[in-house]
Amino acid sequence: MDLCFDVVCIYQKTFGSMPKFKDDPVWMERQVESLTKLIKPFANNKNLSEKQIHRLKDDFLAT
């Protein structure tokens, strides 16, 4: 717990107040969907093209 306090204090000193996030009850579900989309082709042992890999990364990072 002490380490958490230190991290929060350093963040506030360096960057200011923490940004406000809206309450989003479906955030976790969206993250799971993104991970599923990213991991599913690898689980099926499919070869992915570079274009597909970049699209999956973009989709994952956009959520």
Side-chain angles (χ1 to χ4, degrees):
M1 196 65 170
D2 188 41
L3 180 60
C4 294
F5 179 76
D6 292 344
V7 170
V8 171
C9 286
I10 291 169
Y11 182 93
Q12 288 179 342
K13 179 80 170 162
T14 306
F15 301 109
S17 297
M18 300 274 297
K20 301 288 183 200
F21 294 100
K22 65 179 181 175
D23 186 26
D24 187 0
V26 294
W27 180 85
M28 183 64 77
E29 289 85 359
R30 284 198 323 272
Q31 299 308 313
V32 169
E33 289 173 12
S34 295
L35 282 173
T36 302
K37 191 187 323 181
L38 182 65
I39 294 172
K40 193 172 184 177
F42 296 108
N44 294 334
N45 293 325
K46 293 182 180 176
N47 293 328
L48 297 176
S49 70
E50 283 294 316
K51 184 178 179 180
Q52 290 171 314
I53 291 170
H54 289 294
R55 187 182 47 135
L56 288 170
K57 285 181 183 178
D58 291 342
D59 289 347
F60 180 71
L61 295 175
T63 58

